[in-house]
Amino acid sequence: VQLQASGGGLVQPGGSLRLSCVASGRIFSINLMGWYRQAPGKERELVGSIPSGGSTNYADSVKGRFTISRDYDKKTVYLQMNSLKPEDTAVYYCNAVINQVLSGPSYKYWGQGTLVTVSS
């Protein structure tokens, strides 16, 4: 299983970016997809997640500004980031909890990370 994230870059404060992450490989089901971020010198933190058939969950720091969505057919999760602030600068990682076979165990997988820099 591989997770490929894309969409990071440099954006001015107040701007927007959209991150994408697509899962590929041997996948029976994806139970949950989400995004984490890690700023320089800080621990990795949850940005938000979206379980299959469930409601989204966001960190307080991004509520009202970020939106997570999924395309189930494309095995893709998106992170729409609006009203970006300098403190949103971080490497953003997607993750997914995946079953590779029916009735098998589920495992968490990570993407490679994509850098988002918010600066004027």
Side-chain angles (χ1 to χ4, degrees):
V1 173
Q2 288 188 327
L3 298 180
Q4 182 68 44
S6 61
L10 173 64
V11 62
Q12 291 187 342
S16 298
L17 275 177
R18 188 192 195 208
L19 306 183
S20 301
C21 176
V22 58
S24 62
R26 186 179 184 184
I27 297 172
F28 175 76
S29 64
I30 302 177
N31 303 321
L32 178 145
M33 299 189 84
W35 292 92
Y36 284 70
R37 68 185 181 185
Q38 186 166 19
K42 294 188 177 181
E43 294 186 353
R44 190 175 297 190
E45 64 175 0
L46 174 69
V47 174
S49 60
I50 179 168
S52 294
S55 51
T56 54
N57 173 53
Y58 297 98
D60 288 342
S61 58
V62 306
K63 282 181 181 177
R65 301 188 297 122
F66 291 11
T67 303
I68 291 178
S69 60
R70 283 176 65 177
D71 184 322
Y72 289 82
D73 289 338
K74 294 182 179 179
K75 298 182 178 65
T76 300
V77 63
Y78 304 97
L79 180 65
Q80 178 66 45
M81 303 184 292
N82 298 328
S83 302
L84 282 160
K85 305 175 181 180
E87 51 263 44
D88 294 318
T89 295
V91 177
Y92 284 70
Y93 299 90
C94 61
N95 81 323
V97 177
I98 293 172
N99 285 77
Q100 289 191 282
V101 296
L102 177 64
S103 300
S106 58
Y107 295 100
K108 181 178 284 188
Y109 296 88
W110 292 91
Q112 84 284 10
T114 184
L115 177 62
V116 172
T117 303
V118 184
S119 175
S120 55

